[in-house]
Amino acid sequence: MVSNAPFVHKDRRKCENMKKYVSFLLAGTVALGLLNGCGSAFEDTAETTVTPGSPAESTGGGQASQGGDEKTQAVSQTAPGENMLHIPSKDEFPTVDTQKDTEFYVVPLNIYDRLVECEVIDGVAEIVPSLAESWDVSDDGLVYTFHLRDDVTFHNGEKLTADDVVYTIDRMMNPDTAARNTDAYSMIKGAKARLDGEADSVEGVAALDEHTVEITLDVPFGPFLANLATPACSIYNRKATEEAGDQFGIDPQLTVGSGPFKMSDWVLNDRLTMVRNDDYFKGAAKLDGIEVIQVPDENTQKLMYENGELDIVDLSSSSSQLAYFLGNDAYKDNLVIGPEAGSYFYVFNQDMKPTDDLRVRKAISMAIDRQTILDQMYSGAGHLVNSMLPDGVLGAYEAAEIPYDPEGARALLAEAGYGDGCELEIFQQTDNPDALAINQVVQSMLSEVGITVKITQMDDAAYFAERKEGKLGMTRASWKADFNDPDNFLYTFFTERNAKIRSNNHKNADVYRWLEDARAMVDEDERMALYQKIDTAVVQDDAAVLPLFQMDHIVVVQDWVKDFHVAWNGWTDVSYYTVSLEKQGQ
C-alpha cells in the first residue's frame, strides 16, 4: 500500500530497523567505492546516459558534522523573508518540454497540469480530477468525454479551453515536433497516421465546445486515464507554445503552463528557478518558489543540506549519504519514508541455455535466499515480492510465495539433466556497483546447488544493443511505475515483441492474447482478475522472472519543511505544491 506519510516519519520501529543497516552500509560503501569510485545502495534505473552538469560548490560557511548524535546547526542561506524551497539535481535538464524528454520531470510536475492526476487518497493511489473536473466513458470504452474547468488560467493569462487540449495532443503526434513520448497518445484514433505524416491532424480528438473535449480510441484501452496522469500528458497553451517555437521548454519566459509554479530563471549548470503562480486554480502554493540547484556530487549535497542551503535531499538518489543520515540519531525525525511502487527482479532468457529449461529457472529461483539479500544488503528496508505487480499499483494481490528451497533446487536440476551442475552467465552494466554486489551474492548462493556463475559486465551501449536483439542472458532489472496500472508492468515485458526486446523471450501464446484482451476490457474487476491470471502464468507457472523485493524510498528534510510526501510511485521528481516552510523568525 502506498504511504501518504506526514512530513516526519514517526514509525520508530522502522527507523530502528533502518539503523541496523548502517554498519553494513558503511562497510559496503567503502567496498563498492573501491569497485567503482562511489557507493550505491539503490539503483538508478534510467537507461539513457546523461552528461552531468558542472559541480556546484557549497557556498555556506558551516562545517559538516562528522558523525555521532550531534546535528550540525543548519543556517538558512536564503534572504530574510524569502520563502524559497531549495532542492538538488544531479543532472542538467535538456528541456522541460515533457513531449521531448523522458527522464527529468521535477520542473514539469510543478509548472504544468494534466487532465487528471494520480494522488494518494486514504493510503491508496487513485485517479482524481485536475484540469478536467469530470469525464464520461462510452459503454464500449472507446470514447472519453472530458469536461474542463472554466477557472484555469495559463501563466500568460490565457484561459484554458478545449482547443488547448486538442493542440497539445496534435503537437505530440505531429512528426515535425520530433516528440519522444508519442506512446502517451498512440492509442488515440488517427494518432499513428498523424505521426507517420499521413494526416494533418489526429482524427480522434475534437473540441465539442469551449470546455468539452472528446477523445476517441482505436480500440478500448483500460489504462487510458492512468496514462493521462503521467508528466508526458501535461497540457500546453496553444498560443504560448506556438509563439515560443523551438524555445518552448528552454526559455523560461516563453515556457508557459498552468501549474502552481512558473519558470523564472534558468542558468545552465547552476540553477533553475520557479516562482509561485498566484492565480493557480487550486489556490496559491505556500512557497514563494523553488530553486533546483545543480549539485552532481552527493557529498556536496550533504554539506549543503547541513549548511541550510538545501531543504530536501532524496537519499534514494543520493545513496552514498544514506549511511551518514541513517546512522546519526540527530536526523531520525528528519526522515520521510515511503514505499516505491516498483521492484527488483531477475530476468531469465528462455532462448539461452540453461535457462531455456523451466526446471532450471525454477531451481535458480528456489536457490536464491531473497530475504537474506534484503536483510544483509538493505537491512530489510523493504519487503519481498512474489509478483510483477508491487504493492501500491492497481491490481496488486497476494501472490503465492516463491520458496527458498536449495534441496528442491538440486532435485529440479537433476531432473533437467544437470545433476553434476551447470554453468550460468549473468550480465550487467559495467558502471553498476549495486548490481555487482547482488550478483556476487547470488553467485555464491547458486554455487551451493551446483550452478557455476560467471558475471559479465558490459558498457551501456553493448548492454542495451544486446538486450534489444533478445540476446542478453540472465540479468537483474528494476522497474518503477510510470502510470498506475498493471499494464505498465506486464505489457511492458511480456507481449511477444516486448519479450524479445527485454531479452526474456517468454513464449506463451495465451499470455500474448490475454495482454491484448486486458487492454480492451471495460469492466475493471474483470480486467484486474485477468492481469492476476497473467501474472501467475508469467511468474509462478513459467518462471519467466524471479521477483526479489520492493524497496523503501527515503528522503531527508530540514526541520522547517512541512507537508512533504513521498510520491505514490516513489519517484524522486514530485510536485511541491503542498509543501510549506516554517522557519524561526518568519
Side-chain angles (χ1 to χ4, degrees):
M1 197 67 66
V2 172
S3 170
N4 197 11
F7 92 100
V8 171
H9 185 74
K10 294 296 186 182
D11 187 341
R12 295 303 176 90
R13 182 191 60 79
K14 176 167 261 188
C15 285
E16 290 301 312
N17 188 42
M18 293 298 294
K19 286 173 63 179
K20 297 176 186 176
Y21 181 27
V22 174
S23 59
F24 177 86
L25 185 57
L26 286 170
T29 298
V30 173
L32 293 177
L34 292 174
L35 289 170
N36 210 38
C38 67
S40 178
F42 292 86
E43 180 181 17
D44 179 357
T45 58
E47 297 180 357
T48 302
T49 302
V50 178
T51 302
S54 302
E57 296 182 353
S58 172
T59 58
Q63 184 71 28
S65 170
Q66 295 303 308
D69 291 342
E70 292 186 16
K71 183 195 300 187
T72 297
Q73 180 64 39
V75 180
S76 173
Q77 303 297 311
T78 56
E82 192 175 7
N83 189 34
M84 299 286 289
L85 183 75
H86 300 85
I87 59 174
S89 175
K90 294 172 70 173
D91 302 302
E92 182 61 91
F93 317 113
T95 177
V96 298
D97 180 350
T98 62
Q99 296 189 354
K100 297 184 178 182
D101 182 52
T102 61
E103 290 187 52
F104 301 99
Y105 289 145
V106 65
V107 178
L109 284 169
N110 286 282
I111 67 172
Y112 306 125
D113 291 297
R114 289 137 291 278
L115 291 173
V116 297
E117 304 285 357
C118 187
E119 295 181 359
V120 176
I121 308 295
D122 296 329
V124 179
E126 297 183 2
I127 300 301
V128 299
S130 185
L131 296 179
E133 60 183 0
S134 63
W135 53 87
D136 306 305
V137 184
S138 62
D139 291 341
D140 60 6
L142 287 175
V143 182
Y144 288 72
T145 306
F146 294 93
H147 307 283
L148 306 182
R149 297 178 62 117
D150 61 4
D151 58 351
V152 178
T153 303
F154 286 99
H155 300 156
N156 62 345
E158 291 278 312
K159 297 279 287 186
L160 169 72
T161 69
D163 178 67
D164 294 310
V165 179
V166 173
Y167 167 75
T168 298
I169 296 173
D170 190 69
R171 179 182 186 267
M172 176 84 88
M173 307 313 295
N174 185 340
D176 293 339
T177 302
R180 298 186 62 194
N181 266 321
T182 55
D183 283 352
Y185 297 132
S186 61
M187 68 293 297
I188 298 175
K189 186 176 182 179
K192 185 178 185 300
R194 176 64 162 138
L195 185 62
D196 293 342
E198 299 171 357
D200 294 330
S201 62
V202 177
E203 178 185 352
V205 185
L208 302 186
D209 58 43
E210 194 171 75
H211 293 106
T212 309
V213 179
E214 184 180 84
I215 300 179
T216 303
L217 309 185
D218 269 323
V219 294
F221 182 61
F224 184 60
L225 286 174
N227 182 74
L228 291 182
T230 62
C233 295
S234 299
I235 300 301
Y236 297 160
N237 173 245
R238 177 191 288 270
K239 179 180 179 182
T241 310
E242 287 184 338
E243 288 179 351
D246 61 7
Q247 290 302 297
F248 183 83
I250 297 175
D251 186 331
Q253 306 307 315
L254 299 178
T255 302
V256 168
S258 62
F261 300 94
K262 50 189 177 183
M263 286 183 71
S264 173
D265 299 287
W266 187 359
V267 180
L268 291 178
N269 298 321
D270 184 9
R271 67 193 62 212
L272 184 150
T273 304
M274 295 174 274
V275 297
R276 181 175 58 221
N277 172 20
D278 289 330
D279 297 322
Y280 189 49
F281 69 93
K282 295 180 184 178
K286 298 173 184 177
L287 298 169
D288 287 341
I290 305 168
E291 277 198 336
V292 186
I293 305 170
Q294 294 298 311
V295 191
D297 180 70
E298 295 180 2
N299 189 59
T300 303
Q301 289 189 13
K302 181 193 77 170
L303 293 172
M304 293 178 69
Y305 174 86
E306 294 204 308
N307 288 339
E309 299 169 88
L310 293 175
D311 298 303
I312 295 174
V313 175
D314 190 308
L315 297 177
S316 294
S317 61
S318 187
S319 54
S320 65
Q321 303 308 309
L322 269 169
Y324 176 78
F325 285 104
L326 294 178
N328 191 330
D329 281 343
Y331 291 109
K332 64 179 180 295
D333 288 334
N334 295 82
L335 299 178
V336 182
I337 303 174
E340 295 185 343
S343 62
Y344 290 129
F345 48 93
Y346 273 102
V347 176
F348 302 118
N349 192 326
Q350 296 181 32
D351 278 354
M352 299 178 69
K353 290 187 176 299
T355 52
D356 61 334
D357 192 308
L358 172 62
R359 294 164 295 186
V360 173
R361 297 196 298 274
K362 289 193 172 184
I364 293 171
S365 299
M366 295 164 66
I368 296 175
D369 187 347
R370 299 176 297 152
Q371 189 65 54
T372 294
I373 295 174
L374 180 63
D375 290 343
Q376 292 187 356
M377 297 196 68
Y378 302 101
S379 190
H383 60 274
L384 299 188
V385 290
N386 300 292
S387 162
M388 281 295 289
L389 304 177
D391 290 346
V393 171
L394 186 67
Y397 69 108
E398 195 69 31
E401 181 181 357
I402 299 171
Y404 170 57
D405 182 4
E407 287 302 318
R410 293 188 188 97
L412 280 175
L413 288 172
E415 184 181 322
Y418 295 110
D420 295 329
C422 62
E423 295 181 353
L424 175 68
E425 195 168 7
I426 297 179
F427 295 82
Q428 69 163 84
Q429 294 158 269
T430 301
D431 189 17
N432 196 332
D434 181 49
L436 180 60
I438 291 182
N439 287 337
Q440 288 174 334
V441 173
V442 168
Q443 182 182 49
S444 176
M445 290 176 174
L446 293 182
S447 70
E448 296 297 317
V449 299
I451 300 176
T452 302
V453 173
K454 175 185 177 182
I455 300 172
T456 298
Q457 301 191 55
M458 307 170 67
D459 63 63
D460 287 359
Y463 180 91
F464 289 114
E466 287 286 293
R467 194 183 73 171
K468 186 176 181 179
E469 293 299 318
K471 298 178 180 178
L472 194 67
M474 179 176 168
T475 183
R476 195 205 66 163
S478 60
W479 191 259
K480 288 184 187 178
D482 293 313
F483 55 91
N484 189 19
D485 197 276
D487 179 89
N488 190 217
F489 287 82
L490 295 172
Y491 197 94
T492 301
F493 285 90
F494 302 111
T495 61
E496 185 171 12
R497 175 181 179 275
N498 289 342
K500 176 182 178 181
I501 66 176
R502 295 284 178 180
S503 272
N504 61 71
N505 290 302
H506 181 236
K507 295 174 175 59
N508 188 321
D510 288 336
V511 168
Y512 300 159
R513 185 178 70 257
W514 293 338
L515 284 168
E516 299 298 341
D517 290 346
R519 282 191 154 193
M521 282 184 172
V522 176
D523 186 287
E524 191 80 337
D525 291 337
E526 290 182 6
R527 197 165 71 89
M528 292 304 109
L530 182 53
Y531 277 124
Q532 292 171 10
K533 181 179 179 181
I534 294 168
D535 183 82
T536 299
V538 167
V539 178
Q540 305 287 338
D541 300 338
D542 297 342
V545 294
L546 169 62
L548 295 174
F549 32 75
Q550 181 173 355
M551 301 303 302
D552 291 331
H553 196 91
I554 308 170
V555 181
V556 60
V557 304
Q558 298 283 10
D559 293 334
W560 53 75
V561 174
K562 310 298 181 183
D563 298 319
F564 171 81
H565 307 284
V566 172
W568 73 270
N569 50 10
W571 280 10
T572 295
D573 294 342
V574 301
S575 168
Y576 293 97
Y577 173 62
T578 63
V579 173
S580 63
L581 305 180
E582 295 181 8
K583 300 179 182 178
Q584 292 182 354
Q586 292 192 19

